[in-house]
Amino acid sequence: SCATSPGCHATGSNNPVLMSYEEISGLQARIQARAIDAKTMPPGGSLPQDKIDELQQWIDEGAQNN
C-alpha cells in the first residue's frame, strides 16, 4: 500500500510520512478520521472492512507498537 511502501506517504512526499511507529502513532487521530470515519483514504476507495476493523482495534487498544 502507499502507506507502507514508497508512494503517497514516503519520505519526501507532501503527505504525512507513515514509515515508522513513531510517525504513525502520532497520527492516530488523523488515521481515525480519514481511513475509518470518512473512508477517504486511500484515494480512490476505502480500505477493505477487515483492514478498517484492524485499524480500529489498534486505536481502541492504545495504538501499541506490536
Side-chain angles (χ1 to χ4, degrees), residues 4-28:
T4 58
S5 63
C8 298
H9 293 282
T11 301
S13 74
N14 291 329
N15 300 306
V17 175
L18 300 176
M19 300 301 289
S20 73
Y21 171 74
E22 290 76 22
E23 293 160 338
I24 294 167
S25 66
L27 294 169
Q28 63 181 297

Side-chain angles (χ1 to χ4, degrees), residues 9 14-16 18 27-47 52 55-56 59:
H9 293 282
N14 291 329
N15 300 306
L18 300 176
L27 294 169
Q28 63 181 297
R30 187 170 178 173
I31 292 168
Q32 172 83 43
R34 301 285 308 274
I36 298 171
D37 298 338
K39 295 183 172 71
T40 58
M41 285 288 128
S46 69
L47 293 169
I52 292 171
L55 277 172
Q56 186 66 65
I59 291 169

